[in-house]
Amino acid sequence: MIVAAHQPHFLPWLGYLDKLAKADLFVIMDDLQYEAQNYQNRQRIVVDEHELWLTVPLVRGGQHERICDKQIDHGGNAKQHWQRRIWLTLEQAYRRAPYFAAYRAELEDVFSRWWTSLLALDLHMLDLARRWFGITTPIVRSSTLGLEGAKTDRLIDLCRKVGARAYLSGGGGSTTYLDPERIGRAGIGLIWQQFTHPTYPQVAPGFVPRLGFIDLLCNAGGASRDLLFDRSHPMRLAA
């Protein structure tokens, strides 16, 4: 079994979904320390040819607060409320996109609900993405596994507790802290994700990669799954 893991993201980008789909089990690392200025509560979209951040405001907590403990801040007046602001921005960004209408009702429902937990919101958005892209990989939260250690030791413990023979790693920050030799000595295979971002017509001229997954859906509709998955996306074994 191949396992992959990542912190929860708000509106994950396509590379996140690619890694999720390639794994036999995906672990949401919800008990890691929350990282400000990361993607756990924000994502980029393009509005009228300008890149903008959609940000979920959070209650200020302690320095070592975990992701699963983060609460959403509902301060401010109704006209400036974060849910209303995000939804109106999405409408402005995708009102001319050919397939926005197909996803509009469910997206509007997300930003009509009352959310208190950032994790609950992120998991809901991920569930929508899994359904719309037809991703069936099961998901487990790391906070339910009682993982021990940090960095490489934590990933080795994760693999052992879920019975994985191989760990699928992205090519981002994990390259700086994973120790391939120690993982190999633990009897676990290490696979590096190889992802080529698809290109597709966007509402704005040109092409901007690494946006939230809804950008592909609103612009390509039913062809989105084929654009993301029905291409050669190899996985490279660590040397």
Side-chain angles (χ1 to χ4, degrees), residues 87-107:
W87 172 244
L88 291 177
T89 304
L90 287 173
E91 277 194 311
Q92 182 180 356
Y94 295 111
R95 65 186 184 276
R96 294 191 300 272
Y99 299 99
F100 178 52
Y103 308 98
R104 180 188 181 110
E106 287 188 89
L107 286 172

Side-chain angles (χ1 to χ4, degrees), residues 26 94 141 146 150 170-171 238:
F26 192 80
Y94 295 111
R141 292 170 53 183

Side-chain angles (χ1 to χ4, degrees), residues 12-227:
W13 75 294
L14 298 179
Y16 190 112
L17 299 183
D18 175 77
K19 184 164 71 166
L20 167 60
K22 285 176 176 173
D24 298 309
L25 177 69
F26 192 80
V27 179
I28 297 289
M29 304 296 271
D30 65 325
D31 57 351
L32 294 179
Q33 181 179 339
Y34 168 75
E35 300 176 5
Q37 305 302 311
N38 204 311
Y39 290 89
Q40 292 148 20
N41 68 314
R42 64 179 194 158
Q43 183 54 277
R44 294 179 309 128
I45 62 170
V46 174
V47 182
D48 297 333
E49 302 184 36
H50 299 286
E51 294 182 33
L52 294 179
W53 286 97
L54 300 178
T55 302
V56 180
L58 301 177
V59 176
R60 186 181 297 276
Q63 183 178 0
H64 301 292
E65 194 171 21
R66 302 177 303 171
I67 299 169
C68 57
D69 298 325
K70 294 301 293 183
Q71 298 293 299
I72 295 174
D73 185 357
H74 286 279
N77 62 56
K79 290 185 178 180
Q80 295 177 340
H81 194 270
W82 69 270
Q83 289 167 273
R84 173 180 170 82
R85 184 175 65 251
I86 287 180
W87 172 244
L88 291 177
T89 304
L90 287 173
E91 277 194 311
Q92 182 180 356
Y94 295 111
R95 65 186 184 276
R96 294 191 300 272
Y99 299 99
F100 178 52
Y103 308 98
R104 180 188 181 110
E106 287 188 89
L107 286 172
E108 186 173 13
D109 174 68
V110 172
F111 299 104
S112 300
R113 299 188 187 189
W114 184 265
W115 300 96
T116 56
S117 164
L118 174 64
L119 178 62
L121 173 60
D122 286 359
L123 291 178
H124 182 79
M125 296 304 298
L126 186 58
D127 282 344
L128 288 179
R130 292 169 69 206
R131 174 156 55 84
W132 287 336
F133 282 95
I135 301 172
T136 59
T137 304
I139 288 176
V140 173
R141 292 170 53 183
S142 60
S143 58
T144 68
L145 299 176
L147 300 180
E148 299 179 355
K151 298 182 179 180
T152 297
D153 290 333
R154 181 181 174 86
L155 291 179
I156 290 173
D157 190 43
L158 183 156
C159 290
R160 287 172 173 168
K161 284 181 174 171
V162 301
R165 299 184 62 184
Y167 179 75
L168 171 61
S169 177
S174 57
T175 59
T176 64
Y177 67 80
L178 281 184
D179 186 336
E181 292 185 3
R182 287 175 58 200
I183 292 176
R185 289 196 299 269
I188 299 166
L190 179 59
I191 304 170
W192 294 107
Q193 178 191 17
Q194 301 292 293
F195 176 66
T196 302
H197 200 297
T199 57
Y200 51 90
Q202 293 176 324
V203 175
F207 181 76
V208 180
R210 298 182 68 93
L211 303 177
F213 69 86
I214 60 173
D215 189 79
L216 174 57
L217 291 169
C218 291
N219 284 293
S224 297
R225 177 179 170 82
D226 290 345
L227 284 167

